[in-house]
Amino acid sequence: MARPIEAPVRADRVPDFIAIDVETANNDAGSICQIGFATFADGALVDNWSWLINPRTWFSGHNIAIHGIRAADVADALGWDDRYDEIAALLAGRIVVSHTAFDVTATARACARHDLPLLAAQWLDSARVARRAFRQFARRGWGLASLSAHLAIDFEHHDAGEDARAAGLVVMAAVEASGRSVSDWLTDAHRPLREFA
C-alpha cells in the first residue's frame, strides 16, 4: 500500500513550482471555464485556489456532466483575456506542472482566441513523470484518479483547483520515489520508457 504524502518531501530536492488544471465549457480546448492553481515551495503545498472563467461561448451537456459548471455560474466571471496578465505573471519563468498536455493545449488555444502571447513557462507533464517513476503505470492507468488512489491523495476529481493540487502531489511523490528533482524531471520525463524499466 502506498504511503500518504501529506508530509513534505525533502526541500533540497523540490524547487518551487506551480501546478495548474483547467476545465472547459465544450469540446473546444480553448473554452476554459475554470482554472486551478497549486503552488509548492520548500517541499510542501503552500497555496491552492481556482478561478471561474467566462469562456463567452456555449456549454455542452457532456462537459457540464463532468465538472458541474454551467453558463450561469460564470456569467459574472472575468474572461480569459481579462485574467491573462495575472495568469501570465503567475507562470512566467516557472516550472508549471499539468497532468497530460491537455492544459498546455487549452491555454494555448485560449490565448490564440484572444490574440494573446502563449504563456511563458517550463511545462512539466505529471502523467509522463508518473509513467517513469512508478513502473505499474508505465503502460496504463496513469490517469489522475488512479494515480491519486494509489498514492493516497484525497481529492475531488474534475474541479480545477483539486486537480491542480493532485497533479503537483503526484510530482512530489515521484521526486520522493525516484530521487530525481523536479528540475531533473523536466528532461527525464521525455526519455524513453524503456530506460526506466
Side-chain angles (χ1 to χ4, degrees):
M1 179 156 182
R3 68 172 184 79
I5 44 176
E6 297 303 318
V9 297
R10 285 181 38 200
D12 63 337
R13 292 205 313 252
V14 186
D16 293 355
F17 70 93
I18 186 165
I20 73 161
D21 183 81
V22 301
E23 301 297 336
T24 59
N26 56 54
N27 61 359
D28 172 4
S31 65
I32 295 172
C33 61
Q34 186 187 34
I35 184 167
F37 305 89
T39 56
F40 292 78
D42 299 325
L45 174 69
V46 294
D47 206 357
N48 185 204
W49 75 99
S50 65
W51 294 325
L52 289 173
I53 302 286
N54 188 336
R56 302 185 187 115
T57 190
W58 62 284
F59 279 70
S60 77
H62 174 75
N63 288 48
I64 292 169
I66 291 171
H67 52 58
I69 302 168
R70 299 176 177 276
D73 299 323
V74 300
D76 297 325
L78 296 175
W80 181 259
D81 51 339
D82 301 312
R83 281 286 193 192
Y84 173 82
D85 287 342
E86 199 168 0
I87 294 167
L90 275 168
L91 306 188
R94 296 180 81 173
I95 295 173
V96 180
V97 167
S98 69
H99 199 74
T100 77
F102 177 78
D103 306 283
V104 182
T105 299
T107 59
R109 290 197 182 160
C111 288
R113 251 174 147 187
H114 297 284
D115 199 25
L116 294 165
L118 295 177
L119 296 171
Q122 297 178 77
W123 292 99
L124 178 60
D125 183 340
S126 54
R128 292 184 69 90
V129 171
R131 292 180 67 196
R132 287 153 179 80
F134 308 109
R135 260 186 217 144
Q136 64 271 44
F137 297 107
R139 301 292 176 196
R140 64 180 182 273
W142 63 80
L144 201 49
S146 59
L147 280 168
S148 293
H150 175 74
L151 297 169
I153 298 168
D154 191 24
F155 83 121
E156 294 287 329
H157 202 10
H158 298 303
D159 171 87
E162 290 276 294
D163 287 0
R165 179 176 60 82
L169 290 172
V170 164
V171 169
M172 289 182 65
V175 166
E176 183 71 6
S178 69
R180 292 173 166 89
S181 71
V182 176
S183 295
D184 291 338
W185 278 117
L186 283 171
T187 300
D188 290 349
H190 297 280
R191 288 171 51 199
L193 281 168
R194 65 179 177 274
E195 294 184 19
F196 294 85

